[in-house]
Amino acid sequence: MRIERFLTGITTSGTPHLGNYVGSIRPSVRHSLRSGVESFYFLADYHALIKVDEPARIQRSTLEIAASWLACGLNPDKVVFYRQSDIPEIPELTWFLSCVLGKGVLNRAHAYKAAVDKNTAAGTDPDADVNVGLFMYPVLMGADILMFNAHQVPVGRDQVQHIEMARDMAHSFNHRYGEHFVAPEAAIEDHVATLPGLDGRKMSKSYDNTIPLFAPRDQLKKLVGSIVTDSTPPGEAKAVDGSALFQIYQAFASAEDTETMRQAYATGISWADAKQRVFEHIDREIAPMRAAYEALMNDPGKIEAILHAGAAKARAIATPFIGQLRHAVGLRDLRTQDTVAAKTAKLALPVFKQYREPDGQFYFKLQSADGRLLLQSGAFASPKVAGQTIAALQTDGIQALHSSPVPLQPGPDITESDIAAALQALHESKQG
Ligand code: TRP
């Protein structure tokens, strides 16, 4: 069975919230514990630089996200958990991929196109305030994925286009330089819930409607209390459809508990009581992890050590692989002679030539591809024996030199090992 390799990155630009937990962290951690999968999780801090220019926020977010994943049960001994910027092979691969991907493909990337459309609508320069990093975002992401030849990349629908671009890069590179990359597939996570935020829209940093995953208990209580509800008074039946509070509850509750809550809505639970139940339920799941999170946040050295160990595991793959790729594209030690030269040398094989002299005897010689005399036979009375001797040289190599019924003489300046190499080349060409 092929071990499926999963890989996913988390941009280090914010504080993890309950939406990230339900939509990404919780399913990923569960998935990583399955057998037959090999998982790569990394902190996409190079990606974060595209939109965040506050160094302290990048650092803080990296720490918080690492601590969150670990607190939620990601086992760094079972998965490869690392920080993108600890892998210098990734930016190098980004460059290789940049050189095989058409610029037009990036022009069509959603995030870039959205920025251009917005500028065009506003009547400004189409590329106003667009940095090259944003434009190159899909290439860096392609390098993240192809560096480890991941088969499956769990992503939301908004990221599918990036995976298609990564496939495009894999194919373009393979086409030019041989089969080096696996074309990745998007593992679309339709089954995981998108959590609504405080205002009922999708929970997202950009809507400023989030509940931080590890908000302290009293803050969590306050935030759950501020989830939008309608004005149905206590004692009156409440609709579950369109209730953000209900959806949030459902993301944390068993089917049974969800049913009980549905009943409570129908029989007129007050919003205050419903919120109290929701808060208690979320807190029950989060509280044990919150303690682990706080311990990790107070011990950044421990996280550094974990990330370094992860980077070592990742680089055990990335370093030799980038070496292979450098060689493939022609960034090579000048002393090595390979591909073109070696291929032509292989194609241009030495040849045996048989002939008859005016003395009526039969002879053969072995000539190198460039026409030099490698081996000269003496006189054979029978052409059949001459042919058998050639066959023996081709199958047995240099040993046959000494068992020949007729003396065989190396050509001028030719050593026995030259002859052995020529016979070996002939032999291999017959086999392959
Ligand atoms: N673009 C992803 C996001 O914003 C993060 C990311 C970076 C990523 N590199 C990746 C995801 C590679 C999957 C694979 O969510």
Side-chain angles (χ1 to χ4, degrees):
M1 186 185 80
R2 166 172 105 159
I3 302 241
E4 285 288 310
R5 190 175 274 186
F6 282 76
L7 176 142
T8 198
I10 310 98
T11 309
T12 57
S13 54
T15 299
H17 53 69
L18 289 183
N20 300 137
Y21 173 72
V22 168
S24 166
I25 305 176
R26 191 174 62 184
S28 296
V29 170
R30 281 185 190 156
H31 187 268
S32 75
L33 299 172
R34 296 218 307 244
S35 60
V37 300
E38 194 181 5
S39 312
F40 288 66
Y41 293 96
F42 68 95
L43 304 158
D45 53 352
Y46 283 138
H47 276 100
L49 298 180
I50 293 167
K51 48 183 175 180
V52 181
D53 62 3
E54 296 162 59
R57 198 167 129 210
I58 297 276
Q59 185 190 21
R60 175 89 191 161
S61 171
T62 305
L63 178 65
E64 287 174 346
I65 294 178
S68 298
W69 281 77
L70 294 167
C72 291
L74 193 73
N75 178 352
D77 294 329
K78 176 139 194 329
V79 306
V80 186
F81 184 52
Y82 57 100
R83 172 167 51 193
Q84 189 184 30
S85 65
D86 284 337
I87 318 295
E89 291 83 359
I90 290 174
E92 184 167 8
L93 180 55
T94 301
W95 183 249
F96 292 172
L97 298 176
S98 305
C99 297
V100 299
L101 184 70
K103 175 176 173 286
V105 174
L106 295 184
N107 288 340
R108 292 186 285 276
H110 298 321
Y112 172 68
K113 226 162 106 333
V116 168
D117 290 350
K118 199 170 144 210
N119 286 331
T120 310
T124 57
D125 183 289
D127 280 328
D129 293 326
V130 174
N131 61 48
V132 179
L134 177 67
F135 188 68
M136 291 284 291
Y137 186 112
V139 189
L140 179 57
M141 184 160 160
D144 290 331
I145 298 167
L146 300 184
M147 185 86 258
F148 300 101
N149 271 327
H151 306 114
Q152 302 276 338
V153 185
V155 286
R157 290 219 166 264
D158 58 321
Q159 297 285 323
V160 171
Q161 188 195 35
H162 293 145
I163 310 304
E164 277 159 10
M165 290 181 181
R167 296 173 64 85
D168 192 337
M169 294 174 226
H171 289 134
S172 306
F173 191 97
N174 287 351
H175 181 69
R176 284 175 179 75
Y177 301 114
E179 292 294 312
H180 296 279
F181 295 121
V182 168
E185 272 164 33
I188 302 162
E189 299 178 311
D190 270 343
H191 52 286
V192 294
T194 354
L195 206 68
L198 299 176
D199 59 0
R201 291 184 294 172
K202 175 185 173 185
M203 189 179 286
S204 160
K205 202 170 27 141
S206 40
Y207 294 145
D208 196 19
N209 64 357
T210 65
I211 300 177
L213 171 56
F214 292 118
R217 192 177 143 88
D218 52 343
Q219 196 195 339
L220 178 64
K221 186 176 161 78
K222 231 174 84 192
L223 286 167
V224 171
S226 74
I227 294 169
V228 63
T229 54
D230 61 24
S231 52
T232 318
E236 251 179 59
K238 294 171 176 63
V240 294
D241 288 342
S243 166
L245 189 67
F246 187 79
Q247 282 178 55
I248 292 172
Y249 182 78
Q250 192 168 21
F252 288 87
S254 65
E256 221 184 319
D257 288 339
T258 303
E259 224 16 70
T260 309
M261 182 64 102
R262 194 187 299 276
Q263 288 304 315
Y265 264 56
T267 54
I269 186 174
S270 74
W271 285 126
D273 288 347
K275 284 175 170 177
Q276 179 64 27
R277 282 201 204 175
V278 173
F279 158 67
E280 289 296 353
H281 219 95
I282 297 175
D283 192 57
R284 197 182 311 154
E285 181 165 334
I286 301 295
M289 302 188 285
R290 187 189 290 129
Y293 176 78
E294 276 160 12
L296 284 162
M297 288 298 285
N298 289 323
D299 192 358
K302 182 165 179 192
I303 296 184
E304 271 299 331
I306 289 170
L307 292 177
H308 279 128
K313 276 201 259 179
R315 293 194 74 198
I317 297 169
T319 308
F321 191 37
I322 203 80
Q324 177 190 323
L325 298 174
R326 288 177 64 100
H327 190 270
V329 299
L331 308 183
R332 295 178 182 162
D333 184 321
L334 300 181
R335 293 164 301 185
T336 62
Q337 281 297 321
D338 169 317
T339 44
V340 181
K343 266 186 198 147
T344 14
K346 255 190 202 153
L347 287 175
L349 291 167
V351 279
F352 278 104
K353 291 191 172 161
Q354 270 184 277
Y355 55 97
R356 192 174 189 185
E357 287 283 36
D359 61 5
Q361 306 270 61
F362 297 91
Y363 297 81
F364 69 80
K365 58 186 174 184
L366 177 64
Q367 253 178 7
S368 70
D370 55 12
R372 288 186 307 149
L373 179 65
L374 297 173
L375 190 67
Q376 174 65 61
S377 80
F380 288 86
S382 139
K384 193 172 162 212
V385 178
Q388 286 168 345
T389 308
I390 292 174
L393 285 165
Q394 284 182 332
T395 47
D396 303 334
I398 197 76
Q399 282 108 293
L401 201 63
H402 305 291
S403 53
S404 166
V406 165
L408 304 175
Q409 197 63 41
D413 293 318
I414 298 296
T415 63
E416 235 178 71
S417 69
D418 295 332
I419 298 168
L423 293 173
Q424 177 70 21
L426 267 178
H427 185 69
E428 277 173 13
S429 77
K430 294 260 151 56
Q431 309 252 294

